Amino acid sequence: MTHLDDVKDVPFYVRMKETNAFIRDVPYDDQKKQTFTIGRDFEKLAKFALHNHYCLSFLKCPYKFHLETFLLHFHWFNRYLYFNLQDSIWIIQILPAVEKLQTYQLRFLEQELKEFPHAYQYDLKSADYYQQWALLKKTNFLKCDDFRKIMEIDGAQRARMLSQVQGLLSDRGTMPEPIIPEPKPAKRQREASQYTYLKLSDELTASQQNEVIGGLYELFTPHFRDAKEFEDFRKAFREDGAPGIELLRNELADLQYYWVIFRELKQNGLAVSWEVIDRMVHIYDSAGKKLAGFSRINTSIERQKERKARRAVEPVINLIDSYLAKRKGK
């Protein structure tokens, strides 16, 4: 249970915005989106959702919701969406699609579903302001009978999906697993959160890493808080205890813009956690105030802003991909 004192740091504008849009229906595929109006009766919304098989969320869904995106962005849907799908969708679409997944993909789903047998069970301290306020909204909405029924359905549908995933893994357990050589002790990697620099993947050679760092230097140069020599910038990606990178928030780039860039890098060759990125990358406003870390921002981003950031970092991502593809081709 979350109480008001637990979320006292949530800014007023977030409280106002997210209270007015208290809970949202999330249509699946060809379901019709319900018209939002100020002063909407959210208990009626929950009743409508229950009887018409709409899923619900206390956060704005950043994705279209259909089979492909459900699996592709399962990390988000699993945390922030109450499952309330028709049985026919599970039987005809989702479960057959799950059967076609590779073993490592099934293990990912198993881990996710075990971690979240119900929606909104994440840690308050690790959440951004919107996600923190969502936990309070959930507590306050438990008074709604229809919402509690949807919570029960959510738990049952997750359990059903987990059962199928584990059944598939059990069936495949008789197949020989590929032999993976044990790493030599001298090359054992640290945990992603234990680095004191922005470590790039060991799959990249030293010269390739320098090429990638050069691309990032070119990308970030217009945004440096103070002029930074390439060698100092390079150390942030190669040396323990190197000084961090200080960037400016301005009309060209805000915190969400930088978050998208580092999200893309994390998915394509940056081998550290967000905790390390927060320690190494600091964003300042024009008045010189240091802003909150990436782990506390709202990750529901306008599509145009996200595309702009992805286009900016795309040359670097393509460079990494080309190097990794050559390595796999050996």
Side-chain angles (χ1 to χ4, degrees):
M1 301 286 281
T2 304
H3 303 286
L4 189 58
D5 285 346
D6 298 325
V7 292
K8 60 185 178 182
D9 293 332
V10 174
F12 179 73
Y13 75 89
V14 173
R15 302 184 185 206
M16 288 293 295
K17 177 181 177 181
E18 290 302 300
T19 300
N20 287 331
F22 189 80
I23 193 166
R24 301 163 170 93
D25 54 306
V26 183
Y28 180 84
D29 206 351
D30 58 352
Q31 281 183 317
K32 184 179 178 181
K33 177 69 176 176
Q34 301 302 300
T35 303
F36 174 80
T37 56
I38 299 295
R40 190 176 188 181
D41 187 327
F42 294 108
E43 292 196 7
K44 285 185 178 179
L45 183 152
K47 185 178 185 67
F48 177 86
L50 174 65
H51 295 287
N52 292 277
H53 299 285
Y54 277 74
C55 298
L56 293 178
S57 177
F58 288 109
L59 294 167
K60 182 179 180 181
C61 180
Y63 311 107
K64 292 182 178 179
F65 185 31
H66 51 72
L67 175 63
E68 183 179 355
T69 56
F70 178 61
L71 295 176
L72 186 60
H73 301 291
F74 192 75
H75 183 85
W76 191 95
F77 288 113
N78 191 46
R79 282 157 174 72
Y80 309 122
L81 190 74
Y82 287 101
F83 298 174
N84 183 35
L85 297 166
Q86 297 181 68
D87 280 348
S88 57
I89 292 175
W90 288 103
I91 295 169
I92 295 172
Q93 274 199 338
I94 297 176
L95 298 182
V98 170
E99 290 180 1
K100 298 177 183 178
L101 296 177
Q102 298 184 42
T103 301
Y104 77 92
Q105 294 170 324
L106 291 174
R107 288 187 177 130
F108 165 76
L109 292 180
E110 180 187 34
Q111 179 181 344
E112 285 284 316
L113 289 163
K114 281 184 173 180
E115 185 178 359
F116 287 87
H118 299 277
Y120 293 90
Q121 291 192 324
Y122 50 86
D123 181 23
L124 177 72
K125 294 180 181 179
S126 66
D128 69 17
Y129 291 138
Y130 288 82
Q131 295 158 4
Q132 290 177 18
W133 198 249
L135 290 177
L136 179 65
K137 290 194 290 184
K138 172 195 168 184
T139 298
N140 292 340
F141 207 46
L142 289 173
K143 64 182 181 182
C144 176
D145 291 339
D146 290 322
F147 172 61
R148 292 199 302 274
K149 291 175 183 177
I150 290 177
M151 289 180 66
E152 293 175 4
I153 294 170
D154 171 67
Q157 293 192 350
R158 289 164 182 268
R160 178 184 191 178
M161 188 176 184
L162 177 59
S163 177
Q164 192 212 20
V165 168
Q166 291 179 326
L168 291 169
L169 287 171
S170 178
D171 291 342
R172 297 181 190 186
T174 57
M175 299 175 62
E177 291 287 334
I179 298 174
I180 302 175
E182 288 291 330
K184 296 179 181 180
K187 291 189 175 182
R188 189 176 66 180
Q189 294 183 339
R190 283 179 272 181
E191 292 292 329
S193 62
Q194 294 179 350
Y195 288 99
T196 59
Y197 64 104
L198 297 169
K199 177 178 171 57
L200 294 169
S201 170
D202 287 331
E203 295 293 307
L204 299 170
T205 66
S207 61
Q208 289 171 346
Q209 289 189 25
N210 283 333
E211 289 290 329
V212 170
I213 296 168
L216 291 173
Y217 182 74
E218 183 177 345
L219 170 63
F220 287 129
T221 293
H223 307 292
F224 286 145
R225 186 184 181 204
D226 296 305
K228 197 174 188 70
E229 296 294 330
F230 173 74
E231 183 59 27
D232 291 332
F233 181 80
R234 187 191 70 84
K235 289 178 181 178
F237 293 87
R238 298 299 300 273
E239 296 182 11
D240 273 313
I245 298 171
E246 296 183 344
L247 302 170
L248 280 175
R249 182 188 70 181
N250 51 35
E251 66 277 2
L252 298 176
D254 61 9
L255 199 56
Q256 289 183 327
Y257 174 89
Y258 293 124
W259 179 84
V260 172
I261 287 177
F262 281 99
R263 180 196 67 187
E264 296 298 304
L265 291 171
K266 270 179 59 61
Q267 294 172 354
N268 296 275
L270 187 60
V272 298
S273 67
W274 281 111
E275 182 182 352
V276 176
I277 296 173
D278 275 345
R279 290 200 300 263
M280 290 298 300
V281 182
H282 305 144
I283 314 299
Y284 293 82
D285 65 16
S286 57
K289 179 183 177 182
K290 182 179 174 182
L291 304 181
F294 293 112
S295 59
R296 296 186 65 84
I297 73 166
N298 173 23
T299 57
S300 297
I301 301 173
E302 294 177 6
R303 191 161 298 179
Q304 184 176 358
K305 183 189 295 185
E306 182 173 9
R307 283 199 298 264
K308 176 185 174 184
R310 293 180 68 176
R311 282 197 301 268
V313 76
E314 186 175 18
V316 177
I317 300 302
N318 290 341
L319 182 63
I320 295 173
D321 287 345
S322 68
Y323 288 146
L324 296 180
K326 288 178 183 178
R327 186 176 181 88
K328 291 177 182 177
K330 288 185 178 181

